[in-house]
Amino acid sequence: MTDKTNPEQSFHSNETGSAFNFDRKELNILDFGAVGDGKKINTPAIQKAIDACAGKGGGRVIVPKGNFLTGTFILKSKVNLHIEKDGVILGSPYKKDYPQQFLNDPRYKRSPHQSLLYAGRAQDIMISGEGTIDGNAQLNSTGDFRDTGNNAVRPPLLWFDECSNVTIRDIIFKQSLMYTVVCERCRHVHVDHITITENYFYNADGVDIIDCEDFLVENCDINCDDDGICLKSGSEGGCRSGTVRNNKVRSLCNAIKMGTASSGGFRDILVENNEVWETGISGIALEIVDGGIMENIMVRNITMNGVGTPLTIRLGDRNRPPAGSSIVTHGIIRNIYISNIRATVSKAKKFNEAERNHHDYLPYASSICGIPGSSVDGVTIENIDIVIEGGFPVRTINDARREIPEVSNKYPENRMFGVLPAYGFYIWHARNIRIKDIRFSIRQKDDRSAMLLDDVYQADVEAFQVDTLNSSPLISVNQNCRNIQLGRRAEQRNND
């Protein structure tokens, strides 16, 4: 892929997913004994319908109107599971109905793979329709699952593993016990126009793309407890050649994230034209902490209406090796281009009691942070508008002078360093940084600088503007920085 640091270049993602003609055969799960009363377990009937369809060369399996209680069932190659409007796949509340699924791969030694809907090494598969896949995650459940941090006992809704030509379209996913939609080591993936809602349990991510190649996530409406759209990497191939666009995302954690699992890295990825709203941690989080490489990443045209931190870029040293390997390399972040961001910083609103019991996070400054000897290299940020609403703890001159701990192996998050010595951008252990046309408006008193550069080599800052009530410096540059160019800049005062 060509150099993403050139804003005049653009990428075009071709339609991906399955091009198989599923119209050749249509089977209805009712004809295999399914009963949509929300009481009878329908796992055998649904599986028989899928197996019959695959045995006839592929086609479409229909889930009609009704509540079809089920445990794990497995989608096969050349099968489209089509859930009609008012049709519901309803997850069983009992662990015994979710047997573990195994491929011969060392990744499975890390955690069990259980899910409501599973596919392994399948080709040309599709989930579609205006119906619902409901994980049945009830806070007052009398079943086996509880809203705790014990990930191993809560199955995700959907897990596709080493599949190719995958399409997931139009479906409503709700009340997931764990991750919602997971595609791991898949190729040619298209997630389009799905809705994810009522995800109140811990770790209930929206869409997780893990070590996939050629993927497109678009037109989705995601509202969940944990990360909204999360790219992860635990294998040497990493995530590569993908696009995330035209989505509306809310999360009590991060809206759009690359990491934390990052040993295989992230390459050639475009994130554009997304709306983030009422998100507790970061709107965009780009993280390498396990020795992988992140390069050629473009983020552009993002609106954030209520976010704890607009942007977090972190190169760390947790150093978890790829699955099946004991070798850990040094992580790299390079060639990142970010433009046209409009963000309002505020504490995320909670809309119900379940949300009020989770993740009570305060806002933090945006940051670009490496570690000693491994700098974040080559980041361009331009045309950014950030409004800091106020109503947070007032930060003093002591906060501005605070020495930041390295904590290079700590879990990466916007709050990992505590209060940062700048309220807008903190840049630490970085090189070849270009910042242009940045506008901050802060609506409360704060004695910190708008931007602080610390151990930065070669940075160009131009047209940096602040509308502020404060007399603190616009930009502070520590003595350990070199080759810093501060061009045209303006500071506005608001004396209202």
Side-chain angles (χ1 to χ4, degrees):
M1 191 167 132
T2 49
D3 182 10
K4 299 295 181 302
T5 60
N6 182 355
E8 299 304 318
Q9 295 175 350
S10 62
F11 355 172
H12 304 277
S13 292
N14 295 322
E15 184 100 353
T16 189
S18 178
F20 183 78
N21 179 14
F22 296 101
D23 294 332
R24 60 175 61 190
K25 191 72 178 178
E26 192 169 285
L27 302 176
N28 193 307
I29 63 171
L30 297 180
D31 296 329
F32 293 82
V35 177
D37 62 358
K39 299 177 181 179
K40 178 184 176 180
I41 196 77
N42 289 282
T43 312
I46 295 172
Q47 193 62 64
K48 287 177 182 177
I50 291 171
D51 292 347
C53 187
K56 296 177 182 296
R60 184 171 291 114
V61 172
I62 301 295
V63 178
K65 180 179 178 179
N67 293 317
F68 297 92
L69 186 68
T70 181
T72 298
F73 59 93
I74 300 172
L75 196 61
K76 302 294 182 66
S77 294
K78 296 181 171 55
V79 175
N80 168 205
L81 182 71
H82 184 81
I83 308 174
E84 295 183 337
K85 186 176 181 180
D86 298 322
V88 179
I89 293 291
L90 183 64
S92 166
Y94 300 109
K95 185 180 179 182
K96 66 179 177 60
D97 293 320
Y98 298 90
Q100 293 187 21
Q101 307 298 322
F102 289 97
L103 294 180
N104 184 19
D105 192 282
R107 291 171 294 131
Y108 286 85
K109 295 180 180 179
R110 288 187 174 169
S111 61
H113 276 46
Q114 297 167 286
S115 60
L116 179 60
L117 173 53
Y118 177 82
R121 294 178 181 159
Q123 298 180 354
D124 293 305
I125 55 176
M126 177 183 285
I127 309 292
S128 65
E130 298 180 55
T132 299
I133 299 178
D134 186 339
N136 203 11
Q138 303 295 324
L139 294 174
N140 58 351
S141 174
T142 58
D144 294 336
F145 303 113
R146 298 290 183 270
D147 182 21
T148 70
N150 189 354
N151 302 347
V153 300
R154 291 187 280 120
L157 278 185
L158 181 153
W159 198 301
F160 289 167
D161 200 353
E162 293 192 16
C163 298
S164 61
N165 306 328
V166 174
T167 300
I168 305 169
R169 177 177 292 144
D170 298 331
I171 290 290
I172 298 170
F173 295 89
K174 63 186 291 188
Q175 296 189 352
S176 181
L177 292 163
M178 184 61 176
Y179 311 137
T180 306
V181 173
V182 181
C183 293
E184 181 169 7
R185 299 220 309 196
C186 295
R187 299 177 68 244
H188 315 309
V189 176
H190 191 190
V191 181
D192 182 22
H193 198 255
I194 68 170
T195 298
I196 297 176
T197 187
E198 299 180 33
N199 274 14
Y200 300 136
F201 273 32
Y202 281 110
N203 310 110
D205 288 9
V207 175
D208 287 340
I209 302 294
I210 307 175
D211 293 318
C212 291
E213 179 183 7
D214 183 27
F215 58 88
L216 174 59
V217 180
E218 62 176 347
N219 307 317
C220 299
D221 188 348
I222 298 171
N223 184 353
C224 55
D225 176 274
D226 215 313
D227 300 330
I229 299 173
C230 189
L231 279 53
K232 306 173 189 283
S233 173
S235 301
E236 292 183 355
C239 274
R240 55 204 185 276
S241 301
T243 296
V244 177
R245 69 187 181 199
N246 302 327
N247 302 288
K248 183 177 181 180
V249 185
R250 174 179 181 256
S251 168
L252 297 187
C253 294
N254 302 282
I256 301 173
K257 175 179 175 179
M258 299 182 201
T260 296
S262 51
S263 57
F266 310 93
R267 293 176 173 87
D268 305 334
I269 295 168
L270 170 65
V271 178
E272 67 173 354
N273 303 328
N274 297 287
E275 177 187 349
V276 174
W277 64 286
E278 295 302 340
T279 286
I281 303 181
S282 296
I284 300 290
L286 307 177
E287 301 167 354
I288 289 285
V289 295
D290 294 327
I293 297 175
M294 178 183 292
E295 62 182 352
N296 300 337
I297 309 297
M298 177 177 278
V299 179
R300 63 188 181 191
N301 306 331
I302 311 293
T303 300
M304 304 181 187
N305 296 311
V307 66
T309 299
L311 175 65
T312 300
I313 299 178
R314 173 58 171 166
L315 175 59
D317 197 23
R318 184 178 70 170
N319 286 352
R320 181 183 294 173
S325 174
S326 60
I327 299 174
V328 178
T329 59
H330 290 292
I332 294 172
I333 295 180
R334 62 192 177 200
N335 296 342
I336 312 295
Y337 179 76
I338 299 170
S339 67
N340 300 330
I341 309 293
R342 304 290 178 266
T344 300
V345 175
S346 60
K347 189 173 180 179
K349 295 177 182 177
K350 307 290 186 67
F351 296 109
N352 54 62
E353 190 62 28
E355 291 185 351
R356 285 187 283 272
N357 289 332
H358 284 200
H359 307 312
D360 190 25
Y361 300 135
L362 287 172
Y364 288 83
S366 293
S367 61
I368 303 171
C369 296
I371 56 178
S374 294
S375 297
V376 176
D377 187 3
V379 178
T380 295
I381 300 176
E382 62 181 10
N383 194 21
I384 310 294
D385 280 285
I386 297 176
V387 176
I388 302 172
E389 290 282 9
F392 317 128
V394 174
R395 302 307 180 186
T396 66
I397 192 66
N398 290 332
D399 295 312
R401 294 170 178 170
R402 178 173 174 265
E403 184 175 345
I404 304 302
E406 290 290 348
V407 292
S408 62
N409 62 351
K410 189 175 180 179
Y411 188 90
E413 210 72 278
N414 65 341
R415 63 192 181 278
M416 65 181 296
F417 302 111
V419 176
L420 294 172
Y423 63 77
F425 262 108
Y426 177 56
I427 305 177
W428 189 26
H429 302 316
R431 57 189 293 125
N432 300 319
I433 305 298
R434 181 173 181 265
I435 295 176
K436 181 179 180 182
D437 293 323
I438 311 295
R439 293 164 292 279
F440 278 100
S441 176
I442 182 168
R443 298 177 178 174
Q444 71 172 51
K445 180 174 173 54
D446 198 306
D447 290 337
R448 299 172 296 172
S449 302
M451 175 184 287
L452 175 62
L453 306 183
D454 187 1
D455 187 26
V456 176
Y457 173 75
Q458 199 159 319
D460 186 354
V461 180
E462 183 178 357
F464 189 92
Q465 180 175 300
V466 177
D467 182 358
T468 178
L469 300 169
N470 307 299
S471 58
S472 54
L474 179 63
I475 302 174
S476 295
V477 180
N478 285 356
Q479 292 183 351
N480 57 3
C481 297
R482 293 178 295 158
N483 291 4
I484 309 300
Q485 300 293 323
L486 303 181
R488 175 174 56 90
R489 51 184 173 149
E491 182 174 3
Q492 298 180 353
R493 302 289 179 187
N494 181 351
N495 295 315
D496 292 346

